[in-house]
Amino acid sequence: MSFEDLNLNTPLYNALDDLGFTTPTPIQAEAFNVVGSGKDMVGIAQTGTGKTFAYMLPILKNLKYSTQENPRVLVLVPTRELVVQVVDEIEKLSKYINNRVLGVYGGTNINTQKQAVAEGIDILVATPGRLYDLALSRVLQLKSIQKLVIDEVDVMLDLGFRHQLINIFDILPERRQNIMFSATMTQDVDALISDFFKNPERVSIAVSGTPLENISQTRYNVPNFYTKVNLLTHLINDTETYNKVLIFVAYKRMADRLFEKLDELFHDELCVIHSNKTQNYRLRSIEQFRNGDNRILIATDVMARGLDIDNVSHVINFDTPLYPENYMHRIGRTGRAEREGKSIAFSTEAEQEAIGDIETLMNMKIPLLEIPAVVEISTELIEEERPQIKERNNPTKRKNEDVAGPAFHEKKAKNQKENLGGSYKFKIAKKYKKPKTKGDKNYNKRNKRK
Ligand code: AMP
């Protein structure tokens, strides 16, 4: 496939020529028609795959020249660095297009940005917090946004931006196209998609460049967390074989929990990264792991993004990732540069389905190993593993008779209203005229007329 097949226009072809790009990357080829169709889309692609152009090519192709001041395209990204990078990419592609692109982010003077906004823009690239502040200040009007792109959604949610995103959804026009990109699928991303997007089309490119043939994969069936810890300890006690071990866990709490357990035994050899750790702490951990000061690094999927570390001897999937793509990203951290890498996965009963999905994606079975006899099988369960017991009619449990029970009569109609929070307020405001207030000049006039 070449760019000619995408039916772009002369200004875009000229810009691509200047850049020396001749063929679309897989995500660009796959996403082009979906983004162009106006449907909601979720793209699974990592940085470096050409995803910025994957959404900007169709958007720029369809964006008409306009002199109106309010932006029509909004791109949200999690960090300032990304704002700068994305603006830069858009400008390269817009070299022969007369459009106005602006990047805004927190930590800098908001007044300068307000002035820039007031000059009129077509495409706005922003971090969520600063965007919201600008919108509240009313200098920035979002009523003309037709396309919302959220890039690196997984990082965005992992950094705790869910609330800010929802606030922003509330002030955007309802009729708009949503385009999201995420490198990894997490439960948070899945929840956001099902809560706020209309049957988005999924565009996922095969995880390329994972040299499966360089990685020897094995797996164990392990009943629970504590047995996983025992097996892991048994394995990594062999410091010669396991000389650079990257351990993946599903979420932050699990990372901390595992860190605590392993810290007792491997104190000086251990480090951890997840998004609740400070930037400095994370950078230090990565550096210590990279240069070999620490032999073991515990990481979550999202934070391990972009880790380019050589000579990882083993990737250990302390849990089995729910989304097969994440497994591919994880094991791709070993077996780099033609070196043989090893990956090991631990799966509980509950994780068997996920292992099945991974094997289907790779079209191969991962050899199953027996837990060595010396490893103690624990029966202790952590909170998440315990069955949820719902108590019913426990005769020994006394009711607290002082607690106010439910009302025994139906509420009056006027009391049945629920406080539905911010979004509801906006809907109501749209539907009804402004309420009369004391400051309303025509208030008395209207009353007199009645
Ligand atoms: P991204 O994944 O958007 O961060 O892009 C990664 C890099 O690939 C950027 O430096 C782009 O300029 C570059 N790039 C994007 N599309 C292409 C293409 N079709 N051919 C070659 N390089 C590209």
Side-chain angles (χ1 to χ4, degrees), residues 35-317:
V35 174
S37 75
K39 270 191 248 165
D40 282 4
M41 190 198 94
V42 178
I44 308 294
Q46 281 191 301
T47 304
T49 53
K51 66 187 161 73
T52 316
F53 283 12
Y55 58 82
M56 275 331 295
L57 278 169
I59 288 179
L60 287 176
K61 183 190 164 187
N62 297 325
L63 193 71
K64 305 262 180 323
Y65 173 79
S66 163
T67 51
Q68 80 144 334
E69 281 165 14
N70 302 326
R72 288 168 290 156
V73 178
L74 173 62
V75 183
L76 293 175
V77 297
T79 62
R80 301 175 212 186
E81 290 79 5
L82 260 171
V83 171
V84 175
Q85 188 184 312
V86 170
V87 168
D88 193 46
E89 291 274 293
I90 299 176
E91 279 173 350
K92 280 190 215 155
L93 210 48
S94 308
K95 194 166 162 193
Y96 302 101
I97 305 173
N98 190 1
N99 63 12
R100 300 156 297 174
V101 184
L102 178 70
V104 293
Y105 43 80
T108 48
N109 191 326
I110 195 167
N111 290 323
T112 325
Q113 291 176 354
K114 281 182 187 167
Q115 278 165 15
V117 168
E119 282 170 25
I121 27 180
D122 298 300
I123 302 173
L124 181 62
V125 184
T127 48
R130 181 49 60 97
L131 178 95
Y132 196 64
D133 290 345
L134 283 168
L136 286 188
S137 82
R138 301 202 146 261
V139 175
L140 176 65
Q141 295 284 336
L142 297 173
K143 60 185 179 207
S144 304
I145 296 292
Q146 299 158 357
K147 292 179 195 299
L148 168 69
V149 180
I150 316 176
D151 205 348
E152 309 244 345
V153 187
D154 48 355
V155 178
M156 196 106 69
L157 295 177
D158 218 52
L159 293 175
F161 284 144
R162 183 184 159 92
H163 197 67
Q164 263 123 323
L165 285 179
I166 294 170
N167 281 342
I168 293 169
F169 295 161
D170 264 349
I171 50 174
L172 289 176
E174 252 177 60
R175 272 177 60 90
R176 61 167 199 266
Q177 180 184 18
N178 300 296
I179 301 156
M180 322 207 310
F181 278 91
S182 186
T184 48
M185 277 302 288
T186 64
Q187 275 161 321
D188 288 347
V189 175
D190 226 9
L192 188 82
I193 294 170
S194 47
D195 289 351
F196 295 97
F197 301 90
K198 292 172 225 118
N199 300 323
E201 190 132 335
R202 278 178 195 251
V203 174
S204 174
I205 46 161
V207 185
S208 60
T210 309
L212 280 179
E213 59 277 13
N214 284 350
I215 303 169
S216 91
Q217 305 177 56
T218 50
R219 69 181 199 90
Y220 293 90
N221 283 334
V222 195
N224 49 41
F225 173 82
Y226 285 106
T227 312
K228 283 182 176 181
V229 172
N230 295 344
L231 175 60
L232 179 65
T233 308
H234 168 78
L235 293 174
I236 62 179
N237 260 332
D238 176 354
T239 52
E240 213 166 294
T241 313
Y242 291 81
N243 55 60
K244 204 166 199 173
V245 188
L246 180 54
I247 303 173
F248 279 102
V249 293
Y251 45 93
K252 301 169 211 177
R253 208 152 82 100
M254 193 56 98
D256 283 333
R257 192 185 267 143
L258 182 62
F259 183 82
E260 245 170 62
K261 291 309 295 176
L262 294 186
D263 197 38
E264 297 161 13
L265 295 161
F266 302 99
H267 183 69
D268 292 333
E269 304 175 280
L270 190 64
C271 48
V272 60
I273 46 167
H274 61 64
S275 59
N276 278 6
K277 300 283 177 194
T278 63
Q279 180 81 10
N280 278 343
Y281 183 98
R282 297 195 308 244
L283 289 175
R284 200 168 58 236
S285 291
I286 292 167
E287 207 34 53
Q288 285 169 350
F289 183 63
R290 177 175 282 127
N291 65 25
D293 286 346
N294 286 334
R295 179 167 68 96
I296 307 156
L297 175 65
I298 302 172
T300 54
D301 287 297
V302 179
M303 278 301 130
R305 164 95 40 86
L307 273 189
D308 193 12
I309 294 172
D310 286 335
N311 301 330
V312 171
S313 69
H314 294 76
V315 164
I316 298 186
N317 296 279

Side-chain angles (χ1 to χ4, degrees), residues 358-406:
I358 291 163
E359 293 183 329
T360 309
L361 178 75
M362 294 192 298
N363 197 18
M364 64 170 275
K365 286 262 176 234
I366 305 170
L368 181 67
L369 303 179
E370 287 292 320
I371 299 179
V374 291
V375 173
E376 190 193 330
I377 308 290
S378 173
T379 50
E380 198 182 332
L381 298 178
I382 56 168
E383 195 186 322
E384 291 94 317
E385 292 169 338
R386 280 181 224 137
Q388 301 287 315
I389 302 167
K390 291 211 175 66
E391 263 186 283
R392 270 186 300 190
N393 287 337
N394 182 347
T396 56
K397 196 173 168 188
R398 287 193 47 188
K399 274 191 197 155
N400 184 350
E401 265 127 34
D402 293 333
V403 169

Side-chain angles (χ1 to χ4, degrees), residues 394-431:
N394 182 347
T396 56
K397 196 173 168 188
R398 287 193 47 188
K399 274 191 197 155
N400 184 350
E401 265 127 34
D402 293 333
V403 169
F408 55 85
H409 57 79
E410 285 291 320
K411 282 182 181 172
K412 288 201 178 112
K414 74 176 171 73
N415 292 333
Q416 279 179 343
K417 283 184 208 138
E418 267 178 89
N419 182 355
L420 295 177
S423 65
Y424 179 71
K425 252 189 344 217
F426 282 102
K427 274 201 199 103
I428 286 296
K430 241 189 260 168
K431 198 165 160 192

